[in-house]
């Protein structure tokens, strides 16, 4: 049990240093803001990529339909 405590003690100290609001000069608030910013940026990029992929797929389908309509028009159908 003592070995486990020795392993986790530095991790707990680090967590206390950066996540407790009463620590030095708002360091916890800055840490939270940075983490939230990176998480928000990740989801924004992911959402934007999904939106662009959907728009590209819609454009491909529209182009395929235009090719089919053009072929039918040339064939006189």
């Amino acid at each position: 049990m003592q070995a486990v405590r020795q392993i986790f003690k530095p991790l707990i100290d680090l967590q206390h240093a950066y996540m407790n609001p009463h620590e030095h000069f708002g360091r916890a608030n800055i840490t939270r803001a940075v983490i939230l910013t990176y998480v928000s940026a990740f989801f924004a990029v992911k959402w934007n990529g999904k939106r662009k992929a959907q728009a590209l797929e819609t454009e491909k389908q529209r182009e395929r339909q235009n090719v089919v309509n053009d072929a039918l028009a040339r064939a006189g159908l």
Side-chain angles (χ1 to χ4, degrees), residues 2-64:
Q2 188 65 22
V4 173
R5 286 186 182 154
Q6 286 178 344
I7 292 171
F8 284 109
K9 179 75 170 133
L11 297 174
I12 298 299
D13 290 342
L14 185 68
Q15 186 265 339
H16 283 222
Y18 283 97
M19 297 305 283
N20 284 347
H22 64 274
E23 290 293 333
H24 307 283
F25 305 111
R27 190 168 48 190
N29 292 334
I30 293 169
T31 303
R32 287 186 189 114
V34 167
I35 290 170
L36 184 61
T37 300
Y38 282 119
V39 168
S40 300
F42 169 77
F43 282 116
V45 167
K46 188 175 179 180
W47 174 79
N48 193 35
K50 193 181 295 184
R51 186 180 58 84
K52 284 183 179 181
Q54 186 177 16
L56 182 63
E57 186 61 34
T58 303
E59 183 62 31
K60 283 182 181 179
Q61 288 175 352
R62 195 175 300 133
E63 185 64 29
R64 282 189 211 120

